Amino acid sequence: PVVEPPKPDIAVKAPPPKAVVKPKPEPKPKPKPEAKPEPRPAAPPREDVQKRFREELGREQQAMNIERERRTIKEQFEGEQAAARARAQREYVDRIRAKIRGNIVQQQDIKGNPEAIFDVIQLPSGDVISAKLRKSSGHRGYDEAVERAILKASPLPKADSGLFNRQLELKFRPLD
């Protein structure tokens, strides 16, 4: 026989069922709108591209021509300035040589037209500091006469603005 266990005097209640907590569904991420490639404008007709290319090329060539003209004008101006300065420098040296030539005592026994070159150092006031023979004419008497004339001509003519040179190279020939 099957014996049933006796029922307890106290009734035991079954624990209340636990509330099942449903997890909140995570919101589904909204799909990001995919970056749609922007529609490319229709390729311009080839003729338009060539036309713009020719226009740009024309502008560049024009700019290059203008720059070339500017350079040419600048070079001409600088050349003219250099020529004017050289001419003024020659005139200044010629004035000095003329003053010195007036003081040279010529000797009659010189054959030919030999050249004597002197390096002359002067002060801005025109006073001669020294006169050294760089190249002899081959006639000692003529070389010494020129050196004495250089020292005697002190002070030399003053230079115009910007033409002064402390050191001068002066060339003398007896028949000049």
Side-chain angles (χ1 to χ4, degrees):
V2 176
V3 181
E4 281 192 31
K7 289 190 176 185
D9 292 337
I10 302 176
V12 178
K13 289 186 178 179
K18 291 186 179 177
V20 177
V21 179
K22 291 183 180 178
K24 291 184 181 178
E26 292 183 20
K28 292 183 180 178
K30 294 181 182 178
K32 293 182 182 177
E34 293 182 22
K36 294 180 182 177
E38 293 183 20
R40 284 197 226 166
R46 187 175 190 141
E47 295 149 0
D48 287 346
V49 172
Q50 289 177 347
K51 181 181 177 184
R52 281 189 277 156
F53 178 73
R54 283 191 300 269
E55 289 172 355
E56 182 66 27
L57 183 63
R59 284 190 295 270
E60 287 178 11
Q61 287 176 341
Q62 186 178 13
M64 286 174 45
N65 289 340
I66 290 171
E67 183 61 29
R68 188 176 307 122
E69 286 178 31
R70 285 182 186 156
R71 262 196 316 264
T72 303
I73 291 170
K74 182 180 177 183
E75 288 171 359
Q76 284 176 340
F77 180 70
E78 289 172 351
E80 290 171 1
Q81 278 185 328
R85 180 167 173 76
R87 186 173 39 256
Q89 186 70 30
R90 278 193 310 273
E91 290 172 1
Y92 169 60
V93 170
D94 287 344
R95 284 194 332 245
I96 291 173
R97 288 178 48 202
K99 183 172 183 182
I100 294 170
R101 195 171 285 120
N103 294 325
I104 296 176
V105 178
Q106 292 282 349
Q107 296 180 351
Q108 300 301 326
D109 63 339
I110 298 176
K111 295 180 183 173
N113 195 20
E115 180 179 66
I117 300 175
F118 283 86
D119 289 327
V120 177
I121 299 175
Q122 66 173 338
L123 294 175
S125 63
D127 293 323
V128 175
I129 296 175
S130 71
K132 293 184 181 179
L133 179 65
R134 179 192 294 177
K135 180 183 171 220
S136 174
S137 64
H139 297 280
R140 184 173 177 200
Y142 179 71
D143 296 341
E144 289 173 355
V146 172
E147 185 174 3
R148 282 190 305 269
I150 292 171
L151 295 173
K152 187 177 178 184
S154 182
L156 300 174
K158 290 188 180 180
D160 295 335
S161 62
L163 294 178
F164 175 77
N165 282 335
R166 183 171 175 81
Q167 294 183 320
L168 297 173
E169 177 185 288
L170 301 176
K171 299 177 182 180
F172 294 94
R173 292 176 179 245
L175 301 179
D176 285 347

